[in-house]
Amino acid sequence: MLNAEKQILWRTSATFLGIAMPLLLVGRAVMAACLIVGLLLGLAATKGHSLRSSIKYFTSSRIMHFALITLAVFGASSVFALNMQQSLNHLMQMAGMGVFAFLLYLTLREMPVRHVHLMMQSLFIATTVILILSGLDAFLDDARLSNALHGRKAEDLSRLNYMSSVLAVLLPFIWAWLIRRVQENEPLAMKFAVPYAVASFWVLFACGGFAGWVAGIMALIVFVFYAVKLDDLQLRARHWFGLVAGVVVSPVVYVLSQKHDNLLGYVDAVKHLDIWDDLGLVGIWQYALENMLVNPLTGIGLNGFRNLPAPAYDVTSMSHPHNFVLQLALETGVLGFVAAMLLFGSVLVVFHKYAKGNLMGAAAFASLIAFFSASLFGSSIFHSWWLLFFVFTAVVGARIGWSGK
């Protein structure tokens, strides 16, 4: 293959991989298509001794070993599941996710540095476009825009809730990219970095979703802490003003985005100390705990919560426990819970080291904290589209965050 052709493949691969994750707003199929195209083009450009070295390094990784053990234990959970076929389907999806993570790792490890920069630039541009569309949808409540973005869910008041969790995972990378541009003295970045960061946090809140709010705040705290510690961010007056404006004004932005009743309901719930009841989580968590002993060793099967008989009391959802810790303990049992915690813990330990080394490592660590924080209150850990954000953050973070300062 000619060098010029290889460079075209790398550029196209980097662009598609960069724009993929934010495009979840316009459809999971669009996001998946961009990831697949970017991955295939990147794999087509990889070859040689370096590729073999990457495969050897990956297969000797402790994280990879923990991942294989986790999949094996989840397989045992599927065998003894309440609905074996459903559980096995989710197990196959997770195995496919593992293969995707492996191939993405190979692609990014072989990708030249300048094209990794292009991927991050594409991620910034795509996230900016999605921030604009999400903000317009939240504030304008335009029927045509909502139909274009959400289809049948266009009239659902909570149609953007999942995007707050998505933005919480993506924004640390965007903030880090902006800081790097400021350090390079780019005029536009020096002028608009702080307003952009504040506006991005406002849009996150405007999307709604308690899980995303918690995740966004956690991501902000972790990212700012390590960015300051690394001396990549010196907090001056404009930064302090931006932090205060971003956090304090965000609830007001949520009110202005035509969700007045929701916010007033949250405020009233906090006053009466029943925020969890207001969110509908207590009943779900209670029922999950009550069924922990149904099959304590291997669990009731992946995504098996929906197969339990309806409780005698009302719960707002029977799709999943809305808490990844409870979900793992209930659906995969003690064995699956321990295996998954070892996997997640090993990933966090590695990325905590990255966070102490450079700014991009700090961004990746903050994104992982946001993912797990959102998973405590939001989507099922076994939903493929949500698990993709964990895979993407971990693999991209390993590529851009491993080096020292």
Side-chain angles (χ1 to χ4, degrees):
M1 183 185 298
L2 296 177
N3 184 63
E5 294 173 340
K6 182 180 288 189
Q7 297 308 311
I8 293 174
L9 287 175
W10 279 129
R11 284 198 297 270
T12 312
S13 172
T15 302
F16 272 99
L17 290 175
I19 67 174
M21 304 310 290
L23 290 182
L24 176 67
L25 178 65
V26 296
R28 298 176 190 177
V30 176
M31 178 185 72
C34 289
L35 284 174
I36 292 172
V37 171
L39 185 64
L40 292 177
L41 292 174
L43 289 173
T46 61
K47 65 176 182 178
H49 297 290
S50 178
L51 178 59
R52 289 190 287 272
S53 174
S54 297
I55 294 174
K56 182 178 179 180
Y57 182 82
F58 185 88
T59 53
S60 63
S61 167
R62 180 183 300 177
I63 292 177
M64 194 276 291
H65 296 158
F66 281 141
L68 291 177
I69 293 172
T70 302
L71 281 176
V73 175
F74 285 180
S77 298
S78 298
V79 171
F80 298 100
L82 297 178
N83 186 327
M84 184 186 298
Q85 185 61 48
Q86 173 187 285
S87 186
L88 286 173
N89 287 339
H90 283 282
L91 179 65
M92 292 303 295
Q93 291 176 20
M94 296 194 68
M97 201 74 64
V99 173
F100 170 78
F102 171 64
L103 295 177
L104 182 62
Y105 170 81
L106 292 182
T107 299
L108 293 185
R109 197 161 192 260
E110 295 296 309
M111 184 178 287
V113 173
R114 63 181 179 277
H115 296 115
V116 175
H117 291 167
L118 174 61
M119 180 183 69
M120 299 308 296
Q121 184 180 28
S122 301
L123 177 64
F124 171 80
I125 294 172
T127 304
T128 301
V129 173
I130 294 305
L131 281 169
I132 294 171
L133 291 175
S134 298
L136 290 174
D137 187 33
F139 283 96
L140 299 181
D141 200 24
D142 181 76
R144 288 175 295 181
L145 177 60
S146 298
N147 282 322
L149 295 176
H150 309 286
R152 291 176 297 177
K153 295 184 178 180
E155 297 182 1
D156 187 352
L157 292 178
S158 60
R159 61 183 179 272
L160 281 171
N161 281 10
Y162 72 99
M163 281 303 298
S164 61
S165 298
V166 169
L167 291 174
V169 174
L170 294 178
L171 284 179
F173 289 114
I174 304 307
W175 298 333
W177 193 87
L178 282 172
I179 290 176
R180 282 285 182 256
R181 302 290 77 74
V182 171
Q183 292 172 341
E184 295 171 1
N185 296 318
E186 291 190 6
L188 286 177
M190 295 177 70
K191 182 177 294 186
F192 294 109
V194 174
Y196 181 101
V198 173
S200 67
F201 203 73
W202 286 350
V203 172
L204 184 153
F205 259 73
C207 288
F210 181 79
W213 294 355
V214 173
I217 292 172
M218 290 300 298
L220 180 64
I221 292 172
V222 172
F223 178 77
V224 170
F225 173 80
Y226 282 101
V228 171
K229 192 174 181 179
L230 291 166
D231 291 327
D232 284 298
L233 178 63
Q234 290 79 38
L235 291 177
R236 297 186 173 89
R238 68 178 184 277
H239 300 116
W240 283 111
F241 179 79
L243 283 172
V244 173
V247 175
V248 175
V249 180
S250 291
V252 178
V253 173
Y254 181 71
V255 172
L256 296 177
S257 65
Q258 303 183 30
K259 298 180 178 65
H260 312 72
D261 294 339
N262 291 358
L263 181 67
L264 294 176
Y266 288 158
V267 172
D268 185 65
V270 171
K271 287 181 180 178
H272 295 87
L273 301 179
D274 59 354
I275 180 65
W276 309 119
D277 284 330
D278 186 68
L279 293 172
L281 295 176
V282 168
I284 301 173
W285 292 349
Q286 177 184 338
Y287 194 57
L289 289 170
E290 290 174 357
N291 287 275
M292 285 293 178
L293 298 180
V294 171
N295 195 353
L297 193 61
T298 59
I300 62 175
L302 278 60
N303 232 26
F305 184 74
R306 64 186 61 200
N307 297 316
L308 293 170
Y313 47 87
D314 291 333
V315 293
T316 56
S317 173
M318 280 295 293
S319 57
H320 56 84
H322 289 77
N323 180 294
F324 84 99
V325 175
L326 289 177
Q327 184 173 16
L328 288 170
L330 172 66
E331 297 181 357
T332 66
V334 174
L335 295 178
F337 177 79
V338 172
M341 288 300 109
L342 286 174
L343 172 61
F344 293 150
S346 61
V347 171
L348 287 175
V349 167
V350 169
F351 277 85
H352 181 250
K353 294 178 182 178
Y354 293 167
K356 295 187 291 186
N358 69 74
L359 183 65
M360 288 302 180
F365 184 62
S367 292
L368 287 174
I369 294 297
F371 175 86
F372 288 117
S373 299
S375 298
L376 287 172
F377 309 102
S379 182
S380 168
I381 196 70
F382 296 128
H383 283 169
S384 297
W385 71 267
W386 179 235
L387 199 58
L388 264 176
F389 281 87
F390 171 74
V391 171
F392 182 84
T393 299
V395 177
V396 172
R399 177 63 177 88
I400 65 176
W402 66 271
S403 64
K405 184 174 176 60

